[in-house]
Amino acid sequence: MTYGFGLGAGLKALTAARLGIQTAGHNVSNANTPGFSRQRVTLSSALPFTVAGGLQMGTGVDITNIGRVVDSSLIARLNLQSGLVARTQFEFNRMREVEGIFGEPDAGLSEDLASLFGSVGKLQTDPSDRSLRGGAVQSAATLADSMNLLHQRLSQMGNNSFDEAGALVAELNEKAQQIANLNGQVGSIEAMGSTANDVRDQRDMLAQEISEIANVRTIERESGVLDILVGGHLLVSGTRTSPLSVRATSGQVPQITSGGSAVDIGSGKLGALLSNAGTDVSNLISQLDRIARNLALEFNRVHTTGIPGSGPFQTLTSTLGVADTDGDGQRGDELLNQTGLPFDISAGQLWVNVTNRASGDLTRTRIDIDPNTMTLNDLASQLSAIPNLSATVDPSGRLRMQAATGYGFDFAARLDEHPDTFGSFGSGYPVIGTAGDGPFDLSGAAFPQQFT
């Protein structure tokens, strides 16, 4: 044994202390570094030295490893929660954007609807007032513009989803390639017996960033290489990647694919975006369309039974035309339930009033509507069978109605203003109907009369 033997043990102790201090300084200096994991020096007793008599003498301390202080299961849970939090945050921001588009409750559709119904309420007090009529029309136009703008902005949001999905997928593929490169560095460093602490930290941080984009599962091999699975798809395998791509479905909803196969993205920003584009925004647009459609139908239903201030109509042409759904080149020969109109035609009764403008005499005619057996041409024929009224279907599939000269028509539920055409209600020509044939002319009879 020499003095150098004892000095060697002291030198080992000093080296271990120095590395411990350097590691502590490294930890302190990176306390605010994103993704950094605290490192720790692992020490072990050096192999003893055997002296005479078989006795063993300690030779100092050895530095076994400088490793990270991490919990793999905790990191996996953190990646899972990061995806859920990122999805929730994305949905929150998107709903705030939708809330801003609707402008409720201080403005928006509710205010426009209240303005419209208020204008209609005022118009009821004096329907002939031109200023009140103009106010009602302006309120309706404002509401229509607001609905169109809402539909446009919501549709634009849905259209932007494809570009946003493309940007997120590009970011995910880029981070996946970085993880694959770091896998190569980890393999090279640890093949020589060292531990790639800082490289592993960078890799774990990238895996967590990917988990904020999509649902991620990580699998670490014995060699230290980290594989990444996204939605069951092997995104990173060692130093190789299998990039994702975006394609549009039939409904223009973005879909994530790999090699032509769809990838299920359940969480993260990308999962929230796909759900938002596929259901949330589409449902809002559908609800808005239903409100607009039902409002238009109800207003049209009331409006079509009204009469202009100038009196019954002389001519009318439908705004919408039927489609050539059977492909025979003719419009109007399709059943009413197959006309391609934006509303359903239900079975019922159509009452048509024809008025003699000179005398004011009114004739009401009922037409039974059966959309399962009747075509638009059939309806036009029945309308033309009404005296002093004609109807045709033009080449564009629109119904045109024309009253004869001196007559007008309407669809109002009203009473005949001149019901005594035949002298049957208290006029100078009363008529009495009995079980016998009648009516009976009593114009020359002296009253009172007795009848058996």
Side-chain angles (χ1 to χ4, degrees):
M1 181 184 297
T2 64
Y3 289 109
F5 181 82
L7 291 175
L11 180 61
K12 286 183 178 181
L14 291 174
T15 301
R18 176 176 60 83
L19 290 179
I21 294 173
Q22 289 179 343
T23 301
H26 182 63
N27 290 338
V28 172
S29 61
N30 286 281
N32 296 321
T33 301
F36 177 78
S37 299
R38 183 170 63 90
Q39 299 178 13
R40 178 174 59 194
V41 179
T42 303
L43 304 177
S44 64
S45 176
L47 293 175
F49 180 77
T50 304
V51 297
L55 300 176
Q56 290 188 339
M57 180 177 293
T59 59
V61 63
D62 282 341
I63 302 170
T64 304
N65 184 38
I66 301 178
R68 301 185 303 157
V69 181
V70 296
D71 186 336
S72 299
S73 61
L74 185 60
I75 290 178
R77 291 180 60 186
L78 180 62
N79 289 339
L80 174 62
Q81 295 301 320
S82 295
L84 296 176
V85 171
R87 178 187 177 106
T88 302
Q89 185 64 43
F90 184 93
E91 291 175 341
F92 174 75
N93 293 334
R94 184 54 61 94
M95 289 301 103
R96 289 193 65 178
E97 185 179 353
V98 171
E99 185 180 24
I101 291 176
F102 277 92
E104 300 292 347
D106 299 327
L109 285 183
S110 59
E111 183 177 345
D112 294 334
L113 284 168
S115 176
L116 173 61
F117 291 126
S119 299
V120 173
K122 293 178 181 179
L123 182 60
Q124 288 178 328
T125 61
D126 187 3
S128 62
D129 190 319
R130 297 182 63 86
S131 62
L132 295 179
R133 296 170 67 181
V137 171
Q138 182 59 44
S139 296
T142 301
L143 177 62
D145 291 341
S146 297
M147 286 188 165
N148 289 332
L149 180 60
L150 282 175
H151 189 283
Q152 179 182 354
R153 295 182 66 180
L154 289 174
S155 299
Q156 186 63 40
M157 179 185 293
N159 295 336
N160 291 341
S161 297
F162 189 85
D163 296 333
E164 294 180 34
L168 287 174
V169 168
E171 181 182 356
L172 187 147
N173 289 335
E174 180 182 358
K175 294 183 184 299
Q177 185 59 54
Q178 293 178 20
I179 290 178
N181 296 337
L182 292 175
N183 276 339
Q185 297 181 33
V186 170
S188 299
I189 293 173
E190 297 188 352
M192 297 183 294
S194 300
T195 303
N197 295 321
D198 295 328
V199 178
R200 281 175 171 267
D201 285 343
Q202 296 178 36
R203 189 178 66 180
D204 288 347
M205 184 176 65
L206 288 170
Q208 182 178 350
E209 291 175 355
I210 289 180
S211 70
E212 295 178 359
I213 300 176
N215 47 315
V216 166
R217 181 186 174 195
T218 58
I219 302 176
E220 184 173 347
R221 304 181 191 174
E222 293 183 359
S223 61
V225 170
L226 190 69
D227 292 342
I228 304 291
L229 288 88
V230 173
H233 165 71
L234 188 59
L235 180 67
V236 179
S237 177
T239 57
R240 295 175 298 178
T241 63
S242 179
L244 302 179
S245 58
V246 185
R247 70 182 179 189
T249 62
S250 57
Q252 297 303 312
V253 176
Q255 184 182 56
I256 309 304
T257 62
S258 177
S261 301
V263 178
D264 183 21
I265 306 297
S267 64
K269 300 177 183 177
L270 190 55
L273 176 64
L274 297 177
S275 175
N276 184 269
T279 57
D280 298 340
V281 174
S282 297
N283 288 340
L284 286 174
I285 293 176
S286 298
Q287 293 176 22
L288 180 64
D289 287 345
R290 284 197 297 270
I291 292 175
R293 178 180 181 275
N294 292 334
L295 185 65
L297 284 176
E298 293 304 322
F299 262 83
N300 288 342
R301 183 173 288 112
V302 175
H303 190 254
T304 52
T305 57
I307 302 177
S310 58
F313 302 103
Q314 182 66 35
T315 180
L316 274 181
T317 302
S318 62
T319 302
L320 302 174
V322 297
D324 180 20
T325 56
D326 57 8
D328 62 354
Q330 298 180 358
R331 298 175 184 264
D333 58 349
E334 297 82 3
L335 294 177
L336 293 178
N337 60 3
Q338 301 176 2
T339 54
L341 295 171
F343 53 86
D344 296 329
I345 300 178
S346 57
Q349 297 175 346
L350 174 66
W351 288 90
V352 183
N353 307 318
V354 177
T355 304
N356 186 321
R357 296 184 185 275
S359 64
D361 293 339
L362 173 69
T363 301
R364 299 195 73 205
T365 305
R366 187 188 76 183
I367 297 178
D368 294 322
I369 304 296
D370 184 358
N372 298 318
T373 60
M374 181 182 292
T375 67
L376 188 61
N377 288 334
D378 295 336
L379 176 60
S381 297
Q382 294 193 38
L383 290 172
S384 297
I386 299 175
N388 302 307
L389 185 66
S390 62
T392 58
V393 179
D394 67 11
S396 64
R398 297 187 299 173
L399 179 66
R400 296 179 181 271
M401 299 177 61
Q402 176 75 43
T405 303
Y407 290 85
F409 65 92
D410 62 81
F411 310 96
R414 59 193 181 98
L415 296 175
D416 188 353
E417 297 179 358
H418 301 275
D420 204 21
T421 305
F422 301 102
S424 57
F425 296 99
S427 70
Y429 304 95
V431 176
I432 292 182
T434 70
D437 294 336
F440 304 99
D441 185 5
L442 302 178
S443 57
F447 290 92
Q449 290 278 348
Q450 182 175 358
F451 298 92
T452 300

